Amino acid sequence: ITLGFHRLATHESFKCHPWVKAVALALGSAAAQGPVLTWVDNHRRHHIHADQPGDPHSPHADFGEGWRESLKGFLHAHIFWLYDDPAEDAGRYTKRLREDRTVAFIDRTFGLWVGLGLLIPGLIGGWRGFVWGGAIRMLLVNHATFAVNSVCHMFGSRRFETKDESRNNWAIALLTGGEGNHNNHHANAKAAYHGLTWREYDLTGYVIRALALLGLAW
């Protein structure tokens, strides 16, 4: 999700060979967070309207003051936004990306990658593989991703004075391969690396560096 859907497809923060892109997006699809074009459209919308009306998963926009309103905002940002009706201009922010044949193919075959993400662990480990390597993996990865939307816009530190309420949260960074360095990311969304010092854990940044050293990304 963070390598393929987020840093590569959404923000185009690095480039890579087409087969690397295909593998990253297929594995991201296996997390079952929706087709890549829908995911990218929602996330670009989030950055354009960060914590303002129009942000699909802000814990602050459209919510008032007080602990009840904060709790409602947190739960909305974490999961309940998924049940909102799609934006009237859905797809507006992925027009150019749809022309990428690799992205369009992975988007079109989304169900295949979700199915393989359940089937392959099942073939390897039987019912335990299906449950733990398939269903529970999806559950945990989804909630880790959702925590970036909720936790990292409410709890943590702010290195940069951005116009939104993004936060750096070390615990979420550990869970998500570096995505918890969220204030850093909102300060410079195009940056491939979210961890700016060795103290800011960014596993995905290390993977991008490794791909670059191998000549597979730049």
Side-chain angles (χ1 to χ4, degrees):
I1 285 292
T2 176
L3 180 75
F5 276 37
H6 191 204
R7 303 193 199 188
L8 177 59
T10 302
H11 295 292
E12 300 175 337
S13 60
F14 68 97
K15 297 184 183 298
C16 60
H17 287 284
W19 70 265
V20 176
K21 179 188 291 187
V23 170
L25 295 181
L27 291 174
S29 297
Q33 292 185 12
V36 58
L37 288 173
T38 302
W39 200 101
V40 169
D41 188 73
N42 281 326
H43 193 71
R44 288 178 175 175
R45 195 177 299 274
H46 164 64
H47 275 269
I48 291 167
H49 304 287
D51 288 324
Q52 302 296 323
D55 183 342
H57 47 65
S58 170
H60 303 286
D62 303 320
F63 296 95
E65 300 293 330
W67 71 267
R68 288 187 178 86
E69 289 71 22
S70 294
L71 179 59
K72 288 178 183 177
F74 180 90
L75 294 174
H76 169 80
H78 191 79
I79 193 167
F80 289 122
W81 74 274
L82 294 169
Y83 300 99
D84 290 344
D85 293 331
E88 291 183 1
D89 60 346
R92 174 183 179 183
Y93 301 112
T94 54
K95 291 179 180 178
R96 182 172 57 82
L97 194 61
R98 276 180 261 154
E99 298 174 1
D100 184 312
R101 288 197 281 183
T102 301
V103 175
F105 173 74
I106 298 296
D107 182 85
R108 199 165 56 244
T109 54
F110 169 68
L112 170 65
W113 309 113
V114 174
L116 288 174
L118 294 167
L119 176 64
I120 292 173
L123 292 175
I124 294 171
W127 280 107
R128 286 186 179 180
F130 175 83
V131 171
W132 288 96
I136 292 179
R137 168 186 59 83
M138 290 177 179
L139 176 69
L140 295 178
V141 170
N142 273 269
H143 279 286
T145 303
F146 298 162
V148 178
N149 299 336
S150 56
V151 176
C152 290
H153 276 261
M154 295 187 77
F155 306 104
S157 61
R158 287 173 58 81
R159 177 190 286 274
F160 300 100
E161 288 299 323
T162 56
K163 294 180 180 180
D164 51 68
E165 294 297 325
S166 57
R167 301 283 195 276
N168 290 340
N169 187 294
W170 66 268
I172 305 303
L174 284 174
L175 286 173
T176 57
E179 295 296 282
N181 300 305
H182 201 55
N183 178 246
N184 293 354
H185 171 55
H186 270 263
N188 185 0
K190 294 285 285 185
Y193 309 131
H194 293 188
L196 303 182
T197 72
W198 66 270
R199 296 175 182 273
E200 295 173 342
Y201 177 76
D202 186 13
L203 176 61
T204 308
Y206 305 149
V207 172
I208 295 171
R209 282 193 173 93
L211 289 171
L213 287 172
L214 294 171
L216 299 175
W218 52 95

